[in-house]
Amino acid sequence: RQILISRVTIGVVGDGSSGKDSLIKAVFGLDTGNVHPVAGSTKDAKIYSLGETGAIHLVNYPGFNDIREDVNGNTNDMLHYTDVFIMVVDITRGISGTDERILQKLKTFNRPLLVCLNKVDLPRPQDKDTLLKAAIERLQGVPLVETSFDPDPRLGKVHPQNCTLVYKWVVDQVAQAGKETSHIPKADDV
C-alpha cells in the first residue's frame, strides 16, 4: 500500500528524435538501447522501474505527431497517469508548431513540466542565440534548460550538459509532491 501511495511516474516526452532516450541515459543512467537518429524508432511507451522500491516509474513516450494513429492514441491515453513531465525539444530544428502543440497539451494536465532545449552544442554560435530567443518566445510559461544529452565529440564536447539541473528539478518536483526521492537513481556523472 505504501508503494502505491508514494508511486511517482516521470514522463519523458517530445517530438521524434529530439533526444528522449539520450536524456534517460544521461540523467538517470538507464540505457534504453534505443538511441536512434530516425524518428519513429520508439513505437510504444516504454516503462522502466527506477530504483529498487518499484515506486518510481519512468515512461519513455514515443515521439508525438507519429504518422501511426494507434501510437498517438496510446500516448495520449497514458499521459493522464504521469506525475512529472520532461519535454525534450531538438533546438537545432527550431521550435515547431508540433513542439508548441505538445507543450499546450502537457500544460492541460497541470503537472510539473520542464522543457529541455536539447542539442545546444550543435548550432553555429551565430545561430544559437536566435534559436534560443525563439524558444523562449514560443515556449512560455514553463522552465527551460539548455541541454546536450549526447554531445558530438567532434565539436569538442564530450560530456552531457546540464544533466544535474534536470535531475535536481525532477527530485525537487517529486519531493514537493510529498514523495520519497532517495531511491531515484542518477547517472554516474550527474
Side-chain angles (χ1 to χ4, degrees), residues 8-39:
V8 174
T9 302
I10 302 164
V12 179
V13 299
D15 203 1
S17 293
S18 58
K20 297 180 295 291
D21 288 280
S22 295
L23 175 148
I24 292 168
K25 183 176 182 180
V27 174
F28 300 104
L30 178 65
D31 188 351
T32 65
N34 197 27
V35 174
H36 201 279
V38 177

Side-chain angles (χ1 to χ4, degrees), residues 4-5 18 31 83 102 119 123 126 131 133 139 146 167:
L4 291 176
I5 292 170
S18 58
D31 188 351
D83 299 302
I102 293 168
K119 304 182 185 181
Q126 60 267 35
L131 290 166
K133 183 179 177 188
L139 302 175
E146 296 176 36
Y167 179 81

Side-chain angles (χ1 to χ4, degrees), residues 17 24 34 70 73-74 82 94 97 107 119 136 140 155 160 171-172:
S17 293
I24 292 168
N34 197 27
D70 61 323
N74 291 338
T82 302
K107 282 180 173 181
K119 304 182 185 181
I136 291 167
Q140 295 184 7
L155 301 174
V171 169
D172 287 347

Side-chain angles (χ1 to χ4, degrees), residues 1-91:
R1 183 172 182 201
Q2 281 301 98
I3 289 176
L4 291 176
I5 292 170
S6 62
R7 181 170 289 162
V8 174
T9 302
I10 302 164
V12 179
V13 299
D15 203 1
S17 293
S18 58
K20 297 180 295 291
D21 288 280
S22 295
L23 175 148
I24 292 168
K25 183 176 182 180
V27 174
F28 300 104
L30 178 65
D31 188 351
T32 65
N34 197 27
V35 174
H36 201 279
V38 177
S41 58
T42 304
K43 294 172 181 62
D44 300 306
K46 304 291 184 199
I47 302 172
Y48 304 95
S49 184
L50 296 182
E52 299 166 4
T53 66
I56 304 290
H57 289 113
L58 181 106
V59 180
N60 182 15
Y61 285 98
F64 278 63
N65 202 32
D66 198 286
I67 60 170
R68 298 163 294 196
E69 283 304 314
D70 61 323
V71 172
N72 289 325
N74 291 338
T75 297
N76 289 329
D77 289 342
M78 289 189 67
L79 292 173
H80 295 278
Y81 304 101
T82 302
D83 299 302
V84 175
F85 291 108
I86 307 170
M87 180 179 165
V88 184
V89 174
D90 179 349
I91 194 72

Side-chain angles (χ1 to χ4, degrees), residues 91 115-120 128-129 132 136 144-149 161-163 165-166:
I91 194 72
V115 175
C116 296
L117 303 174
N118 196 33
K119 304 182 185 181
V120 294
K128 181 179 174 182
D129 287 339
L132 292 174
I136 291 167
L144 306 173
V145 62
E146 296 176 36
T147 59
S148 177
F149 296 122
Q161 180 180 338
N162 286 333
C163 295
L165 288 176
V166 174

Side-chain angles (χ1 to χ4, degrees), residues 140-184:
Q140 295 184 7
V142 295
L144 306 173
V145 62
E146 296 176 36
T147 59
S148 177
F149 296 122
D150 187 17
D152 189 334
R154 296 174 297 175
L155 301 174
K157 306 277 186 186
V158 293
H159 298 292
Q161 180 180 338
N162 286 333
C163 295
T164 301
L165 288 176
V166 174
Y167 179 81
K168 286 182 178 179
W169 181 87
V170 169
V171 169
D172 287 347
Q173 299 309 309
V174 172
Q176 286 178 25
K179 313 283 180 155
E180 177 58 42
T181 62
S182 63
H183 51 276
I184 300 175

